[in-house]
Amino acid sequence: MAGAESPNRSPEIRKDGINNRWVIFSPARSRRPSDFKSKSNPNPNNQSECPFCKGHEHECAPEIFRIPADSTSDWRIRVIQNLYPALNRDLHFRNHEDSSSHGDVSVSGFGFHDVVIESPVHSVHLIDLSPAEVGDVLLAFKARIDQLRMNDSIKYVQVFKNHGASAGASMSHSHSQMIALPIVPPTVSARLNSMKEYYEQTGNCSLCDTRVDDLIINESTHFKSVVPFAATFPFEIWIIPRDHSTYFHDLDSEKAVDLGGLLKFMLLKMSSQLNNPPFNFMIHTSPFQVDPSYLPCCHWFLQIVPQLSGVGGFELGTGCYINPVFPEDAAKILREVKVPDQK
Ligand code: AMP
Ligand code: ZN
Ligand code: ZN
């Protein structure tokens, strides 16, 4: 159901075949898709008290590595431990689970929670960096994942970015986080199983098979950016490798620059169209040690979610989301929005 933005379109319920969940598209009567703008203040902390700034390294939890690696030179990117980690890297991972009589299960809170500081300068964000510099941030994620996956107890690494207070950020200095888990999270298992089911029915990977047509925003040499067919959130964007790729950590230097350029371009478009909204991005890769039968159907992608509306009781109750903007309309607007020339 393609076409220009239409305020009179009737609601439609679409199934997101990758994540196996339903989304209700219900166009907001009062607002046209192009009227969606962020109103929130994106800057939680200020520079004077920022431990992530150059010169304040001693205020941070220990460094894991920096780029460039030479400790005497000025750094461009630092990967550090999180001072308030969600999981504890020093715990001994107990492989057995403790079960209660209700079927609830617990394992020890072992895992790694790291922070990637993306620039030494407080005011510089990903959109201010060149494609090669954004590519270096992506390669820092890869390098840290390569270290973490050597640990046999680690099953999955989630890379994510919170930008802006209502997207969960407490620090405004440009950074991302990585949490390495001893379990495979339920959304990851659900995605894997859903993609496997599609593969068994069709013989194809569902993301290789994505029909983009009116959902495409842009394409680069190795990646395409789209609004997904059943986008959970208004103006959500997925950046997908054009060739089948199971793991984000297989990214090489050439692809990193290419992805860096497209990611920057999408963030610029989103920022320009939606008035610099708070946002999250997540890298959805595949679990380590996965059964080889999953490899042909698992395809990683990067999801960008601008935070324009909160989650309410209906979403919490049903797991179904209501999205007021049809993906075709969001894609058209994002395709057409002009941004300043890239560096
Ligand atoms: P966010 O809250 O999403 O902005 O992420 C910032 C993260 O940085 C939080 O998870 C904090 O626990 C962490 N953090 C805050 N101060 C420090 C510090 N001095 N050294 C290392 N991590 C920190
Ligand atoms: Zn700072
Ligand atoms: Zn694929």
mmCIF file of all heavy atoms in Angstrom, residues 51-52 59-61 80-84 113 115 162 168-171 175 177, ligand 1:
data_model
loop_
_atom_site.group_PDB
_atom_site.id
_atom_site.type_symbol
_atom_site.label_atom_id
_atom_site.label_comp_id
_atom_site.label_asym_id
_atom_site.label_seq_id
_atom_site.Cartn_x
_atom_site.Cartn_y
_atom_site.Cartn_z
ATOM 1 N N PRO A 51 33.135 13.527 32.748
ATOM 2 C CA PRO A 51 34.326 12.683 32.848
ATOM 3 C C PRO A 51 34.779 12.102 31.509
ATOM 4 O O PRO A 51 35.887 11.561 31.421
ATOM 5 C CB PRO A 51 33.867 11.553 33.787
ATOM 6 C CG PRO A 51 32.389 11.489 33.612
ATOM 7 C CD PRO A 51 31.933 12.884 33.282
ATOM 8 N N PHE A 52 33.929 12.219 30.477
ATOM 9 C CA PHE A 52 34.312 11.625 29.188
ATOM 10 C C PHE A 52 35.180 12.577 28.358
ATOM 11 O O PHE A 52 35.732 12.184 27.327
ATOM 12 C CB PHE A 52 33.068 11.237 28.370
ATOM 13 C CG PHE A 52 32.246 10.109 28.967
ATOM 14 C CD1 PHE A 52 31.022 9.757 28.417
ATOM 15 C CD2 PHE A 52 32.694 9.384 30.068
ATOM 16 C CE1 PHE A 52 30.269 8.720 28.959
ATOM 17 C CE2 PHE A 52 31.949 8.345 30.625
ATOM 18 C CZ PHE A 52 30.721 8.014 30.065
ATOM 19 N N GLU A 59 38.902 10.418 35.868
ATOM 20 C CA GLU A 59 37.577 10.364 36.523
ATOM 21 C C GLU A 59 36.740 9.189 36.014
ATOM 22 O O GLU A 59 35.590 9.012 36.433
ATOM 23 C CB GLU A 59 36.811 11.667 36.266
ATOM 24 C CG GLU A 59 37.457 12.887 36.888
ATOM 25 C CD GLU A 59 36.824 14.187 36.396
ATOM 26 O OE1 GLU A 59 35.630 14.197 36.054
ATOM 27 O OE2 GLU A 59 37.553 15.195 36.333
ATOM 28 N N CYS A 60 37.310 8.436 35.083
ATOM 29 C CA CYS A 60 36.556 7.337 34.472
ATOM 30 C C CYS A 60 36.957 5.997 35.068
ATOM 31 O O CYS A 60 38.037 5.845 35.644
ATOM 32 C CB CYS A 60 36.817 7.288 32.966
ATOM 33 S SG CYS A 60 36.042 8.637 32.084
ATOM 34 N N ALA A 61 36.100 5.002 34.895
ATOM 35 C CA ALA A 61 36.450 3.616 35.206
ATOM 36 C C ALA A 61 37.578 3.199 34.250
ATOM 37 O O ALA A 61 37.818 3.869 33.238
ATOM 38 C CB ALA A 61 35.220 2.754 35.044
ATOM 39 N N ILE A 80 36.010 2.023 27.539
ATOM 40 C CA ILE A 80 36.284 1.950 28.986
ATOM 41 C C ILE A 80 35.235 1.074 29.674
ATOM 42 O O ILE A 80 34.176 0.797 29.117
ATOM 43 C CB ILE A 80 36.283 3.361 29.638
ATOM 44 C CG1 ILE A 80 34.882 4.010 29.523
ATOM 45 C CG2 ILE A 80 37.335 4.263 29.003
ATOM 46 C CD1 ILE A 80 34.724 5.282 30.352
ATOM 47 N N GLN A 81 35.565 0.656 30.890
ATOM 48 C CA GLN A 81 34.569 -0.044 31.689
ATOM 49 C C GLN A 81 33.509 0.957 32.139
ATOM 50 O O GLN A 81 33.802 2.140 32.318
ATOM 51 C CB GLN A 81 35.232 -0.665 32.925
ATOM 52 C CG GLN A 81 36.241 -1.738 32.584
ATOM 53 C CD GLN A 81 36.788 -2.425 33.829
ATOM 54 O OE1 GLN A 81 36.237 -2.322 34.921
ATOM 55 N NE2 GLN A 81 37.890 -3.124 33.652
ATOM 56 N N ASN A 82 32.294 0.482 32.330
ATOM 57 C CA ASN A 82 31.231 1.341 32.863
ATOM 58 C C ASN A 82 31.415 1.445 34.375
ATOM 59 O O ASN A 82 31.613 0.438 35.059
ATOM 60 C CB ASN A 82 29.856 0.738 32.523
ATOM 61 C CG ASN A 82 28.728 1.710 32.758
ATOM 62 O OD1 ASN A 82 28.636 2.325 33.825
ATOM 63 N ND2 ASN A 82 27.880 1.866 31.772
ATOM 64 N N LEU A 83 31.385 2.663 34.890
ATOM 65 C CA LEU A 83 31.570 2.877 36.331
ATOM 66 C C LEU A 83 30.426 2.264 37.152
ATOM 67 O O LEU A 83 30.613 1.868 38.297
ATOM 68 C CB LEU A 83 31.651 4.387 36.598
ATOM 69 C CG LEU A 83 32.097 4.851 37.977
ATOM 70 C CD1 LEU A 83 33.491 4.318 38.329
ATOM 71 C CD2 LEU A 83 32.097 6.380 38.051
ATOM 72 N N TYR A 84 29.262 2.187 36.567
ATOM 73 C CA TYR A 84 28.080 1.612 37.256
ATOM 74 C C TYR A 84 27.523 0.471 36.402
ATOM 75 O O TYR A 84 26.450 0.591 35.814
ATOM 76 C CB TYR A 84 27.000 2.691 37.456
ATOM 77 C CG TYR A 84 27.522 3.969 38.060
ATOM 78 C CD1 TYR A 84 27.715 5.102 37.274
ATOM 79 C CD2 TYR A 84 27.842 4.031 39.423
ATOM 80 C CE1 TYR A 84 28.213 6.277 37.829
ATOM 81 C CE2 TYR A 84 28.335 5.204 39.975
ATOM 82 C CZ TYR A 84 28.518 6.320 39.165
ATOM 83 O OH TYR A 84 29.002 7.480 39.704
ATOM 84 N N HIS A 113 29.991 -4.665 30.850
ATOM 85 C CA HIS A 113 29.239 -3.467 30.483
ATOM 86 C C HIS A 113 30.268 -2.360 30.223
ATOM 87 O O HIS A 113 30.890 -1.856 31.152
ATOM 88 C CB HIS A 113 28.288 -3.106 31.633
ATOM 89 C CG HIS A 113 27.329 -2.003 31.289
ATOM 90 N ND1 HIS A 113 26.288 -1.647 32.127
ATOM 91 C CD2 HIS A 113 27.233 -1.173 30.216
ATOM 92 C CE1 HIS A 113 25.596 -0.652 31.574
ATOM 93 N NE2 HIS A 113 26.167 -0.339 30.426
ATOM 94 N N VAL A 115 31.692 1.210 27.941
ATOM 95 C CA VAL A 115 31.288 2.472 27.320
ATOM 96 C C VAL A 115 32.300 2.798 26.215
ATOM 97 O O VAL A 115 33.504 2.626 26.415
ATOM 98 C CB VAL A 115 31.281 3.622 28.359
ATOM 99 C CG1 VAL A 115 30.908 4.951 27.711
ATOM 100 C CG2 VAL A 115 30.316 3.313 29.511
ATOM 101 N N ASN A 162 22.314 5.562 23.481
ATOM 102 C CA ASN A 162 21.253 6.418 23.991
ATOM 103 C C ASN A 162 21.705 7.854 23.744
ATOM 104 O O ASN A 162 22.791 8.239 24.178
ATOM 105 C CB ASN A 162 21.065 6.241 25.498
ATOM 106 C CG ASN A 162 20.743 4.807 25.893
ATOM 107 O OD1 ASN A 162 20.179 4.054 25.107
ATOM 108 N ND2 ASN A 162 21.107 4.426 27.113
ATOM 109 N N GLY A 168 17.075 7.817 27.322
ATOM 110 C CA GLY A 168 17.763 7.055 28.370
ATOM 111 C C GLY A 168 19.168 7.532 28.674
ATOM 112 O O GLY A 168 19.853 6.951 29.524
ATOM 113 N N ALA A 169 19.654 8.597 28.008
ATOM 114 C CA ALA A 169 21.041 9.026 28.217
ATOM 115 C C ALA A 169 21.172 9.867 29.492
ATOM 116 O O ALA A 169 20.341 10.729 29.769
ATOM 117 C CB ALA A 169 21.522 9.832 27.014
ATOM 118 N N SER A 170 22.227 9.595 30.257
ATOM 119 C CA SER A 170 22.555 10.442 31.398
ATOM 120 C C SER A 170 23.743 11.341 31.070
ATOM 121 O O SER A 170 24.015 12.298 31.786
ATOM 122 C CB SER A 170 22.860 9.577 32.623
ATOM 123 O OG SER A 170 23.900 8.675 32.319
ATOM 124 N N MET A 171 24.473 11.024 30.002
ATOM 125 C CA MET A 171 25.661 11.790 29.605
ATOM 126 C C MET A 171 25.426 12.337 28.195
ATOM 127 O O MET A 171 24.995 11.592 27.311
ATOM 128 C CB MET A 171 26.892 10.871 29.551
ATOM 129 C CG MET A 171 27.079 10.008 30.774
ATOM 130 S SD MET A 171 27.625 10.939 32.198
ATOM 131 C CE MET A 171 29.320 11.238 31.790
ATOM 132 N N HIS A 175 28.697 8.975 23.106
ATOM 133 C CA HIS A 175 29.161 7.649 23.548
ATOM 134 C C HIS A 175 28.136 6.596 23.160
ATOM 135 O O HIS A 175 26.963 6.904 22.919
ATOM 136 C CB HIS A 175 29.340 7.624 25.075
ATOM 137 C CG HIS A 175 28.047 7.730 25.810
ATOM 138 N ND1 HIS A 175 27.349 8.919 25.928
ATOM 139 C CD2 HIS A 175 27.271 6.803 26.420
ATOM 140 C CE1 HIS A 175 26.232 8.724 26.585
ATOM 141 N NE2 HIS A 175 26.145 7.439 26.898
ATOM 142 N N GLN A 177 27.273 2.189 24.221
ATOM 143 C CA GLN A 177 27.542 1.189 25.254
ATOM 144 C C GLN A 177 27.473 -0.205 24.661
ATOM 145 O O GLN A 177 26.844 -0.419 23.614
ATOM 146 C CB GLN A 177 26.522 1.310 26.389
ATOM 147 C CG GLN A 177 26.588 2.653 27.094
ATOM 148 C CD GLN A 177 25.563 2.754 28.211
ATOM 149 O OE1 GLN A 177 25.643 2.060 29.207
ATOM 150 N NE2 GLN A 177 24.600 3.625 28.030
HETATM 151 P P1 AMP B 1 23.879 6.847 29.327
HETATM 152 O O1 AMP B 1 23.294 6.852 30.724
HETATM 153 O O2 AMP B 1 23.110 6.049 28.349
HETATM 154 O O3 AMP B 1 24.175 8.242 28.872
HETATM 155 O O4 AMP B 1 25.274 6.106 29.413
HETATM 156 C C1 AMP B 1 26.343 6.618 30.141
HETATM 157 C C2 AMP B 1 26.936 5.497 30.901
HETATM 158 O O5 AMP B 1 28.190 5.953 31.406
HETATM 159 C C3 AMP B 1 26.113 5.071 32.109
HETATM 160 O O6 AMP B 1 25.811 3.692 31.962
HETATM 161 C C4 AMP B 1 27.011 5.339 33.309
HETATM 162 O O7 AMP B 1 26.955 4.291 34.240
HETATM 163 C C5 AMP B 1 28.387 5.422 32.685
HETATM 164 N N1 AMP B 1 29.300 6.317 33.395
HETATM 165 C C6 AMP B 1 28.992 7.492 34.013
HETATM 166 N N2 AMP B 1 30.113 8.061 34.522
HETATM 167 C C7 AMP B 1 31.141 7.237 34.205
HETATM 168 C C8 AMP B 1 32.550 7.270 34.447
HETATM 169 N N3 AMP B 1 33.103 8.283 35.114
HETATM 170 N N4 AMP B 1 33.318 6.242 33.959
HETATM 171 C C9 AMP B 1 32.737 5.238 33.285
HETATM 172 N N5 AMP B 1 31.419 5.154 33.042
HETATM 173 C C10 AMP B 1 30.624 6.124 33.482
#
